[in-house]
Amino acid sequence: MGRLLGIDFGLTRIGIAISDERKIIATALGNIKTKDKPLEALENLLAKYSSMEAIVVGLPLLLNGKEGDMALRARMFAAILESHFQVPIIFWDERLSSAQVERFLTECGVNRKKRAQISDEQAAALILQDYLNCHSKKN
């Protein structure tokens, strides 16, 4: 029984989250800067966790539901992840997840600098938790 990894892909930072082994709770794990070696940084983040069953990648669809440039880039990054980690990729609609996280952090009184530091990993956790919630109802 492995964990699920959640990814919020961005051009500057990639937010990372991970599920517990029972696939009930998503936890924000951190951010990776895209200019660094993202696969190596991701391996370092995951070193202390048990095996990964799949990767849930947020698919940034346009508001009309179609795929734009960012969705294409997320799919390209996902293909690299799939090849490197040899686990299935699951795409999950992440429309407005970053805006939802930003609003929540603002309402909680988190200052702008701290929001910028944690918003991507929190968006990854939100995407992954949404996926987990949806699939726990089906089981």
Side-chain angles (χ1 to χ4, degrees):
M1 188 181 235
R3 297 173 185 263
L4 297 179
L5 186 68
I7 302 284
D8 178 43
F9 177 78
L11 297 178
T12 305
R13 286 181 307 276
I14 301 164
I16 309 296
I18 195 162
S19 76
D20 62 319
E21 290 179 336
R22 294 176 55 208
K23 296 178 201 67
I24 297 172
I25 298 172
T27 303
L29 208 57
N31 294 312
I32 296 170
K33 292 183 179 174
T34 55
K35 67 179 180 180
D36 298 335
K37 297 177 182 173
L39 294 178
E40 187 177 308
L42 187 53
E43 283 179 347
N44 290 337
L45 268 178
L46 298 174
K48 64 181 179 181
Y49 294 98
S50 61
S51 66
M52 213 181 345
E53 191 173 298
I55 301 173
V56 178
V57 176
L59 191 61
L61 300 175
L62 302 173
L63 291 178
N64 64 9
K66 295 185 179 184
E67 292 188 19
D69 182 54
M70 281 305 293
L72 176 63
R73 289 174 186 238
R75 284 189 182 278
M76 290 169 43
F77 182 68
I80 293 168
L81 291 174
E82 185 175 35
S83 174
H84 184 80
F85 289 103
Q86 299 294 306
V87 296
I89 299 294
I90 301 163
F91 290 102
W92 195 252
D93 183 354
E94 65 142 301
R95 278 179 278 188
L96 302 176
S97 62
S98 295
Q100 185 178 351
V101 166
E102 184 73 19
R103 187 172 46 256
F104 175 75
L105 293 174
T106 301
E107 289 172 0
C108 289
V110 177
N111 69 45
R112 186 180 317 206
K113 183 177 180 181
K114 184 68 174 174
R115 284 195 314 263
Q117 292 171 350
I118 66 171
S119 64
D120 296 303
E121 66 188 84
Q122 294 301 318
L126 178 67
I127 292 162
L128 183 55
Q129 190 65 57
D130 187 39
Y131 174 84
L132 294 171
N133 292 346
C134 182
H135 286 78
S136 71
K137 295 173 186 170
K138 292 180 181 177
N139 296 334

